[in-house]
Amino acid sequence: MTTETFEFQVEARQLLQLMIHSVYSNKDVFLRELVSNASDALDKLRLEKLRDDALDADVSDLHIEIDVDKEARTLTVRDNGIGMSYDEVGQLIGTIANSGTATFLKELREAQDAGSAEGLIGQFGVGFYSGFMVADEVTLVTRRAGEGQGTRWTSRGESTYTLEKADDAPQGTSVTLHLKPADPENQLHDYTSPWTIKQIVKRYSDFITWPIRMVPEAADGEDAPEPETLNSMKALWARSRDEVSDDEYHELYKHISHDWREPLETIRLQAEGTFEYQALLFVPSHAPHDLFTRDFKRGVQLYVKRVFIMDDCEALLPPYLRFVKGVVDAQDLSLNVSREILQQDRHIRMMQRRLTKKVLSTIKEIKTKDADRYATFWREFGTALKEGLVTDSENRDAILAVASFATTHAEDEPTTLAQYVERMKDGQEDIYYITGESRQSIENSPHMEAFRDKGIEVLLLTDAVDEVWVDAVGEYEGKKLRSVAKGEIDLDGEKDEKAEGEREKQAEDYAGLLGWMREQLDEDIKEVRLSARLTVSPACVVSDAHDLTPALENMYRAMGQEVPRTKRILELNPGHPLVKNLNEAYKEREDRSGLVESAELLHTLAVLAEGGQPKDPARFVKLVADRLERTL
């Protein structure tokens, strides 16, 4: 048969070199990866046969087989699952582009220790290549179920790999590792030792639902013994809690999620009655790198009566809990259920409601009992959870109960809305917040000046979703959520006649300037008024109480929605020397053309102060340069 030779991509070669000169202290994980891949292949074949009964594939004895040859120093992991076609081998094995190689390499270099580095293997789907940690050469032989011809892939992990067609390939996939010499000092064990193989399978793969078999060594002169099944195949979610160790739960989590770090929390749920199901869910300790990408695979595994039905079943949990991994095993669903049917099934909707409430109550329990673990959870998944404040009104109160936010009350300690309300000053009626890109930028915003002076606490919201949920929630315990950058702000509480008189006098004194600036800046603003929120800055721009903020406008445009540009309000600080002098100049001069540039500069400075961009940066630079030149 014709053998074709191909070159690895540059990044793929870098990855293979990392595997060959492994930074991983625990090289045993290669077997876990190969067994996990084989298990997935068996699941896929059983599902394919379920959907297409005409598929020419033998599913009578689906299993994983491990063979060792001490003389040849080879180890083979074989399955009779779905297999791959010639083209699929080239796409999935020949190149590693689909595995996020660049991101994998970046995070690998940034990993602080061997433990965190080890976890990256499964997370990025490059487990097959971990075989090069223990082998000088890897040969893969595969035939896709229903096809007549197989494929052989071979590489020494250097710059090239070969592909050829294999007429004698059985259904499924076998991976043969030509093992390196054992080197105990570098944690490279003798993987031709049956005892070593059994220990690794027991540790990492005991819960795999397919039998993992190995033929024991035959004594001299005796016939080959029957294959021995190395794993118990017991569904952990069906066993009582006292029968299962935390380590066993953690290994199941790692198998399901491809995240080889310990989970933050394990959640068990057993529902009995008219509709029975069992659930074993896990809250990870770290957010996956692609949590906020369009292609992120969300959902948990669905089983029906211990039979695997679907990976990433999205209907079982809402999108804002997409980081939760695990297994749900239902008793009364059809084995031939589809994703479309699941979305309409009332039992599935009932399960989703119950599972959602269980996850949220568990998070609340973590928050109550373990501040450190809660801090980890909120740091990793708080942004995703806040999406539920917009999309899940039924559980909004439960989400608010576990949500915390940065605040001006403390630099390093977030606060809940309940804590904020407890600390509210006498006479304060609203919960104040400000949104922006970073804590530093919004703490220094002109909008914050009066709040800082009066010691009024403000929530500092820096996630994109914050722009949306505050409007969706609206209020908390009867207290309105109010942006310090929208509408008119009056923090003086009870009015006294002296303050009222001062304001009326200022309004009368500045009326001419405000009207004139409104005319000059008509293209950009809807109103010019005196500010009650400024104490230091000369001016700021604010949105009307019910207008979209600029950040929200930009967000909608980024999603492809056409949003009309909203004019904003320019507020002036009547106590600032610049504004006072501008007002005096306006009243003294009959020819005010020279003041137009000053008004324009004042407005642009206000836009810049809140993190915006000048409408015409080149013109702004020219105006500033001209002014500086006149002062020198």
Side-chain angles (χ1 to χ4, degrees), residues 361-567:
S361 67
T362 300
I363 296 169
K364 185 176 182 180
E365 188 175 341
I366 294 172
K367 183 178 182 300
T368 303
K369 295 182 177 180
D370 193 328
D372 289 340
R373 284 203 306 148
Y374 168 75
T376 298
F377 167 80
W378 192 254
R379 181 182 67 247
E380 299 293 328
F381 303 110
T383 302
L385 196 69
K386 283 187 289 186
E387 295 172 13
L389 295 172
V390 182
T391 60
D392 188 358
S393 57
E394 180 182 346
N395 290 299
R396 186 172 289 162
D397 289 343
I399 298 171
L400 283 175
V402 299
S404 59
F405 312 97
T407 170
T408 54
H409 176 72
E411 186 170 339
D412 301 321
E413 187 176 335
T415 191
T416 64
L417 292 185
Q419 291 169 330
Y420 181 103
V421 170
E422 286 178 9
R423 292 193 295 264
M424 284 174 61
K425 290 182 173 293
D426 292 340
Q428 182 181 339
E429 297 180 354
D430 301 323
I431 297 172
Y432 292 106
Y433 71 87
I434 184 170
T435 60
E437 292 186 358
S438 69
R439 178 176 182 133
Q440 182 179 6
S441 66
I442 57 181
E443 275 192 311
N444 294 327
S445 167
H447 303 122
M448 294 284 290
E449 291 174 2
F451 294 87
R452 189 181 299 110
D453 277 5
K454 295 182 179 294
I456 296 176
E457 185 174 356
V458 178
L459 301 177
L460 308 174
L461 308 179
T462 56
D463 291 325
V465 68
D466 293 329
E467 294 279 356
V468 184
W469 76 257
V470 286
D471 286 333
V473 172
E475 64 175 45
Y476 177 77
E477 293 187 358
K479 309 289 185 182
K480 288 184 178 179
L481 292 164
R482 190 169 178 191
S483 170
V484 305
K486 293 180 72 172
E488 293 198 64
I489 296 291
D490 182 6
L491 303 179
D492 287 334
E494 294 294 325
K495 307 287 191 303
D496 60 62
E497 292 184 7
K498 185 177 180 180
E500 282 291 319
E502 181 67 25
R503 288 179 185 173
E504 288 178 7
K505 184 178 177 182
Q506 284 181 338
E508 184 178 339
D509 188 34
Y510 280 87
L513 175 67
L514 299 182
W516 175 80
M517 288 185 67
R518 166 71 177 80
E519 292 176 4
Q520 302 306 314
L521 302 173
D522 181 62
E523 287 188 11
D524 301 304
I525 60 174
K526 67 166 68 173
E527 182 184 349
V528 184
R529 68 191 182 201
L530 297 182
S531 179
R533 76 186 86 213
L534 295 174
T535 62
V536 178
S537 300
C540 68
V541 283
V542 300
S543 299
D544 225 342
H546 303 292
D547 284 348
L548 294 178
T549 63
L552 204 51
E553 285 185 20
N554 292 336
M555 193 185 306
Y556 283 130
R557 291 190 185 104
M559 294 187 293
Q561 299 185 31
E562 284 299 321
V563 180
R565 181 170 170 268
T566 304
K567 289 185 179 181

Side-chain angles (χ1 to χ4, degrees), residues 66-97:
I66 300 175
D67 286 336
V68 294
D69 185 330
K70 287 195 171 186
E71 290 187 10
R73 285 201 57 76
T74 62
L75 181 148
T76 300
V77 178
R78 183 181 298 111
D79 68 73
N80 55 348
I82 191 69
M84 289 177 281
S85 66
Y86 186 92
D87 290 340
E88 286 173 330
V89 172
Q91 294 167 6
L92 301 176
I93 304 297
T95 61
I96 320 178

Side-chain angles (χ1 to χ4, degrees), residues 23 59 178 201 218 236-237 243 256 337 340 363 379 491 537 589 602 618 620:
V23 297
V59 295
H178 300 266
V201 170
L236 298 187
W237 56 90
E243 291 180 8
I256 291 170
V337 70
E340 291 72 28
I363 296 169
R379 181 182 67 247
L491 303 179
S537 300
R589 300 181 190 179
L602 192 59
F620 173 70

